[in-house]
Amino acid sequence: MKAKIRFTFISVFFIAAFSNAQEKSSSLFRKGDSWIELRHGINFDAKRMDYFNYQWAGITVPLEREVSNNYFFGLSYSEFLTNSFMLGIELNYAFQDAPRQPRGLNSVSQMGVGVNARQYFLPIQDQFSFFSNFNTGIYFFQLDDWIDTAESYFRMSLDLGVSYLPNERLQISLFMPDIVTFLDKRRNFDAAASGFNFMHNQVFKYPMIGISYRLENIKHVILQKEED
């Protein structure tokens, strides 16, 4: 009985703290505001799966390879549906490079289009806020092989991060990407297994930074003029 009471008290405490944090987030963001964000990341722990086609034997052999460079660029447009939740779309491009081997592949490029949903929580001093970022989309990648190696797959991932707002129009975010991912195919850009993956990229070896700019919301401008 005491354990149930303690559990209920703790649950109520965290719910109240979370609700209070959501109310405070209104001082950081406003419902209806639109933001554009440029994300850039370098994965120092990337791997990928190459497939070598031995025509004389009629077989294709998979080989997991270390990647020397892995760059990511993403451009997104999002709008706040509440004072703490935003929804948007993103276009991104990624590039991998690996040491060339005999009959080996060198570079891989990928394009993706997807939807991002981000929830901010625990704002600190009207300048910092933590967030969780859920993104999903379709991705297309191309190996530089002598045969047609264009591939596509579906991907979902959960990121965590923290944002800093030096002023009301600028936001700088630090991401811990790919905490949890889901992929529908084994053959994908970063050699992750199909299905769910937990931290298949080492978080601290995959820094990602986002720079966001708030666009002027026309509804706020009109309302402000009416008040004047």
Side-chain angles (χ1 to χ4, degrees), residues 109-141:
S109 59
Q110 172 176 275
M111 294 289 296
V113 56
V115 176
N116 290 339
R118 187 179 302 180
Q119 176 68 50
Y120 290 87
F121 56 92
L122 298 179
I124 303 174
Q125 296 181 351
D126 294 336
Q127 284 190 311
F128 294 91
S129 182
F130 295 92
F131 64 84
S132 59
N133 188 74
F134 176 78
N135 53 80
T136 179
I138 302 295
Y139 296 83
F140 309 88
F141 70 97

Side-chain angles (χ1 to χ4, degrees), residues 5 11 19 21 27 43 47 56-57 64-65 78 89-90 95 109-110 125 131-132 139 146 194 197 216:
I5 295 175
S11 300
S19 300
S27 61
N43 192 341
K47 298 179 177 64
W56 58 272
E64 187 174 275
R65 296 182 61 193
S78 304
I89 57 176
E90 180 179 273
F95 173 82
S109 59
Q110 172 176 275
Q125 296 181 351
F131 64 84
S132 59
Y139 296 83
W146 64 89
S194 58
N197 297 266
E216 191 65 45

Side-chain angles (χ1 to χ4, degrees), residues 191-205:
S194 58
F196 286 95
N197 297 266
F198 179 70
M199 296 178 64
H200 69 274
N201 287 315
Q202 295 187 28
V203 174
F204 298 106
K205 291 186 177 181

Side-chain angles (χ1 to χ4, degrees), residues 15 22 30 40 42 54 61 65 70 79 110 139 141 155 171 175 208 211 224:
I15 292 173
Q22 298 305 99
R30 297 184 301 184
H40 174 55
I42 301 177
Y54 293 94
V61 179
R65 296 182 61 193
N70 187 346
E79 182 171 323
Q110 172 176 275
Y139 296 83
F141 70 97
R155 186 179 193 272
Q171 179 183 179
F175 290 79
M208 187 176 291
I211 300 178
Q224 185 176 3

